Amino acid sequence: MSNSGFTSKPKYIICDYAASRNGKSGTALKVMDILSGIKSPLTQVTHGKNINSDRYEEYDFNGVKITVFSQGDPGPKSYQLPDLKAAVASGADVIICASRSSGDTVNNIYKIAKNYEKIWYRNFYADNWTQQFGDFLNENYRFLLVLLR
């Protein structure tokens, strides 16, 4: 509790972690497609010229700001760090992103999103992704509470 008597609203970063070429970006792109089918993004940045290019999108659902980005690879040509910094600077309540399972991308998340509760899950963009995503949501019901309040 802060000195003013108010508690700060919890913030979450939901990280799809896996090794290279395991569908992390595809999953984040799928989440953006689902969200944009409900509501147009406030911000949309495409990092490339084809339909599968990595993207960064911001949404507002009844005052809950959700940011999703698909670049989860490390390196000097990666947008992971700038996208992560932009998401945190925007004041996102929920960040959904791709991440490798170790190394720079994980370190960036702990360093930049230090005031966010981290929720790590294994990639669900697979044959049984619907069941895996359902299990993920059941295990992380607090995420649902944030979105539904």
Side-chain angles (χ1 to χ4, degrees), residues 35-146:
L35 292 177
S36 65
I38 300 168
K39 191 168 195 174
S40 295
L42 300 171
T43 302
Q44 184 178 48
V45 178
T46 302
H47 302 301
K49 296 182 182 181
N50 68 49
I51 196 165
N52 294 321
S53 293
D54 284 305
R55 295 192 324 253
Y56 171 99
E57 296 182 358
E58 296 176 355
Y59 299 86
D60 187 300
F61 287 94
N62 300 321
V64 177
K65 190 167 186 181
I66 301 172
T67 300
V68 185
F69 61 89
S70 60
Q71 177 60 262
D73 294 328
K77 294 182 181 180
S78 170
Y79 291 98
Q80 190 258 354
L81 183 57
D83 283 353
L84 178 60
K85 286 180 177 179
V88 170
S90 77
D93 297 301
V94 178
I95 300 170
I96 301 171
C97 65
S99 175
R100 290 285 180 91
S101 52
S102 63
D104 288 342
T105 56
V106 172
N107 293 338
N108 289 342
I109 288 165
Y110 279 102
K111 185 171 128 186
I112 306 302
K114 59 186 165 204
N115 295 323
Y116 284 74
E117 183 174 336
K118 282 73 172 169
I119 300 172
W120 296 91
Y121 73 95
R122 292 290 296 185
N123 182 273
F124 61 83
Y125 198 75
D127 290 339
N128 62 343
W129 78 270
T130 304
Q131 178 61 45
Q132 291 177 17
F133 190 56
D135 292 346
F136 162 74
L137 291 177
N138 288 334
E139 292 169 11
N140 295 285
Y141 64 91
R142 289 174 294 168
F143 171 66
L144 288 175
L145 294 176
V146 167

Side-chain angles (χ1 to χ4, degrees), residues 1-2 4-9:
M1 189 178 288
S2 69
S4 64
F6 295 103
T7 58
S8 62
K9 183 164 68 171

